[in-house]
Amino acid sequence: MFDQTMERIRSKKAKAAVIGAGYVGLPLACALAEAGFKTICVDLDKKKVDSVNDGLSYIGDIPSDHLSKLVKSGMLSATTDFAKLKDADAISICVPTPMTKTKDPDISYIVSAVEGIAANLKAGALVILESTTYPGTTREAVVPRLEKRSGKAGKDFFVCFSPERVDPGNAKFHIKNTPKVIGGYTEKCLELGKTYYGMAIDTIVPVSSCEAAEMVKLLENTFRSVNIGLVNEVAIMSRKLGIEAWEVVQAASSKPFGFMPFWPGPGLGGHCIPIDPHYLAWKMKTLDYNARFIALASEINGEMPRYVVQLVQDSLNDRKKSLNGSKVLVLGMAYKKDISDVRESPALDIVKLLQAKGATVAYNDPYIPDLSHEGIPLKSVSIAGDALKNYDCVVVATDHSVYDVNAIVEMAPLVVDTRNFTKKLARRSPKVVKL
């Protein structure tokens, strides 16, 4: 089985499948198709499947004309039918891994995908889990379910874990030029995985086991969470000391060794940083260990939207206005600049907290024309002309590149800047309050 699968991969006769056509799955499917593998995306969302087959991209990093070329060439297609996996020689799982309200891992999407694979697994096929999860998931939740129906892992089929490293909106790093970590269930599993992904990705970084690869992803995002938590607390302390946090971080980053800059902001967003560290914390609780840095960073980062709202309230009070009854405009709802992704966006919490204090809240985001917040539909309002004069305060939650900082500061009566958006002003305006 191993030799046959390896030959099909090396000759690019292998058929590829990607389960999940979202922010991770669709870019990976495109990269595999570009590398010469006939690729199929499997997703239960018919709208996504139809969009892929029509060559219309809903992922900002994948232009529609590029997607359309791959579809028209016959190298990429999509389906809702798991039975199509019967022809696949290599299957990548790129499904969501959310947390429950009690911050317990929800691997139900992984389990559902694996069960769909198990019912249709081709002999000798390679299965690679990419979804972020706790160490041990591949060995404990994936392999046993596949072995129930398909023989022995490492002999009759092959299993790896390779953490996704997608960074939406990053113009420099994409699937092909971002090093790919991979761990195998056995040595043969690893050899197949390295060869397969090596056909589409420039640099492959093998590790000793699936557990090590799973831990790599959690370390990467825990590292970011903890350091962002640190710099957010520095921002709070700096404000109390009458110092500007961004100036401090910028000056500290001039040190050529022993320091790397992280920047304060209104809170954490996206799927990875706010959620992934809790997968590790949960796993450690099962081993009677308390991951203290993760808990502390989560506490600080989780409180940042509330801190922003308090800053808005204090800034309005300084101008003899009450937050209750004030009109507030939130600029940017995406979790970071120049993308349309609102997953875990702190701007959503800021809107909710402002409303709870009696403010009339609107938002503008050129990438998100409408959204549903707490079950209530919202639409992006226009900021053209002198529209900003109609608001008591403008909160910059996401510093999209298309925003004109000079026009916004000129028009708005008060700007609360959570992203150092106003750093390019020729001179500091008394209307601007920074985080």
Side-chain angles (χ1 to χ4, degrees):
M1 293 294 181
F2 173 83
D3 292 338
Q4 292 173 343
T5 303
M6 181 65 83
E7 190 280 326
R8 287 183 64 79
I9 288 172
R10 286 176 171 162
S11 65
K12 295 188 178 179
K13 293 178 181 178
K15 292 184 179 180
V18 176
I19 300 177
Y23 287 94
V24 175
L26 187 59
L28 176 61
C30 289
L32 291 169
E34 289 166 13
F37 295 105
K38 193 167 185 178
T39 306
I40 187 167
C41 278
V42 181
D43 199 295
L44 297 180
D45 187 339
K46 191 174 184 302
K47 288 183 179 179
K48 287 182 179 178
V49 167
D50 290 343
S51 187
V52 171
N53 289 331
D54 289 339
L56 300 174
S57 178
Y58 43 86
I59 302 295
D61 294 340
I62 305 294
S64 289
D65 58 350
H66 180 62
L67 177 63
S68 181
K69 286 179 183 177
L70 292 173
V71 172
K72 288 179 179 178
S73 70
M75 294 302 293
L76 180 64
S77 62
T79 182
T80 60
D81 186 4
F82 270 74
K84 299 292 184 181
L85 296 175
K86 290 180 179 179
D87 295 327
D89 298 284
I91 304 168
S92 299
I93 304 172
C94 305
V95 296
T97 48
M99 301 291 296
T100 67
K101 289 184 178 180
T102 56
K103 296 197 183 308
D104 292 325
D106 177 3
I107 63 168
S108 60
Y109 293 95
I110 293 177
V111 170
S112 178
V114 171
E115 289 177 346
I117 293 169
N120 299 282
L121 188 62
K122 179 180 179 180
L126 170 65
V127 178
I128 305 176
L129 177 60
E130 292 224 358
S131 304
T132 304
T133 185
Y134 56 85
T137 302
T138 306
R139 189 175 301 274
E140 298 163 8
V142 176
V143 170
R145 285 178 169 83
L146 295 177
E147 287 188 331
K148 279 184 179 180
R149 303 183 66 164
S150 304
K152 184 69 174 175
K155 178 183 176 184
D156 302 305
F157 64 92
F158 305 90
V159 178
C160 292
F161 181 85
S162 181
E164 60 88 2
R165 281 176 163 174
V166 172
D167 185 19
N170 192 322
K172 182 177 180 181
F173 290 104
H174 41 81
I175 295 288
K176 184 172 173 53
N177 68 353
T178 300
K180 197 90 171 81
V181 172
I182 190 165
Y185 183 70
T186 67
E187 284 297 324
K188 286 188 175 181
C189 293
L190 179 59
E191 284 303 309
L192 282 179
K194 285 165 48 182
T195 303
Y196 176 55
Y197 274 162
M199 306 293 276
I201 298 167
D202 294 341
T203 304
I204 304 299
V205 182
V207 293
S208 61
S209 65
C210 294
E211 288 84 354
E214 290 161 339
M215 188 64 168
V216 166
K217 176 64 174 181
L218 297 181
L219 171 60
E220 290 171 2
N221 286 331
T222 299
F223 173 80
R224 294 173 69 187
S225 175
V226 167
N227 280 283
I228 292 170
L230 170 63
V231 81
N232 276 335
E233 189 166 40
V234 167
I236 294 171
M237 294 188 293
S238 294
R239 183 166 186 79
K240 289 181 179 294
L241 292 167
I243 302 168
E244 185 178 293
W246 281 282
E247 179 185 12
V248 172
V249 176
Q250 184 65 56
S253 66
S254 67
K255 186 179 180 182
F257 52 88
F259 184 86
M260 65 186 306
F262 287 80
W263 304 98
L268 294 181
H271 175 271
C272 292
I273 306 177
I275 293 176
D276 293 353
H278 292 291
Y279 268 75
L280 180 55
W282 175 88
K283 180 66 176 181
M284 297 317 299
K285 282 181 182 178
T286 69
L287 301 174
D288 196 29
Y289 183 84
N290 181 25
R292 290 162 289 174
F293 271 115
I294 291 174
L296 181 58
S298 176
E299 179 185 342
I300 294 170
N301 293 326
E303 282 296 311
M304 289 308 292
R306 197 174 301 276
Y307 178 73
V308 170
V309 171
Q310 185 62 54
L311 189 57
V312 172
Q313 183 170 331
D314 292 345
S315 301
L316 286 169
N317 284 343
D318 290 343
R319 289 156 178 78
K320 302 187 185 306
K321 289 189 176 184
S322 170
L323 177 56
N324 189 350
S326 288
K327 295 178 68 177
V328 180
L329 176 69
V330 176
L331 281 183
M333 293 301 292
Y335 80 84
K336 70 174 185 175
K337 67 190 296 183
D338 301 340
I339 66 172
S340 61
D341 192 348
V342 297
R343 291 177 299 172
E344 307 295 327
S345 175
L348 296 171
D349 290 328
I350 291 170
V351 168
K352 178 181 177 180
L353 292 167
L354 287 170
Q355 290 173 332
K357 287 187 173 290
T360 300
V361 186
Y363 87 90
N364 170 272
D365 194 311
Y367 295 91
I368 307 166
D370 54 70
L371 59 86
S372 178
H373 172 64
E374 300 288 312
I376 301 173
L378 298 174
K379 290 187 177 295
S380 177
V381 300
S382 172
I383 58 172
D386 60 357
L388 294 182
K389 291 182 178 180
N390 297 322
Y391 297 93
D392 298 295
C393 178
V394 173
V395 180
V396 181
T398 311
D399 52 336
H400 290 309
S401 299
V402 296
Y403 286 143
D404 184 337
V405 60
N406 291 296
I408 289 169
V409 173
E410 180 183 349
M411 291 292 178
L414 170 65
V415 176
V416 173
D417 180 6
T418 74
R419 297 285 190 177
N420 203 22
F421 171 68
T422 56
K423 66 181 177 181
K424 294 182 180 179
L425 289 175
R427 55 186 176 183
R428 186 161 185 173
S429 169
K431 296 194 292 182
V432 174
V433 177
K434 286 192 173 185
L435 189 67

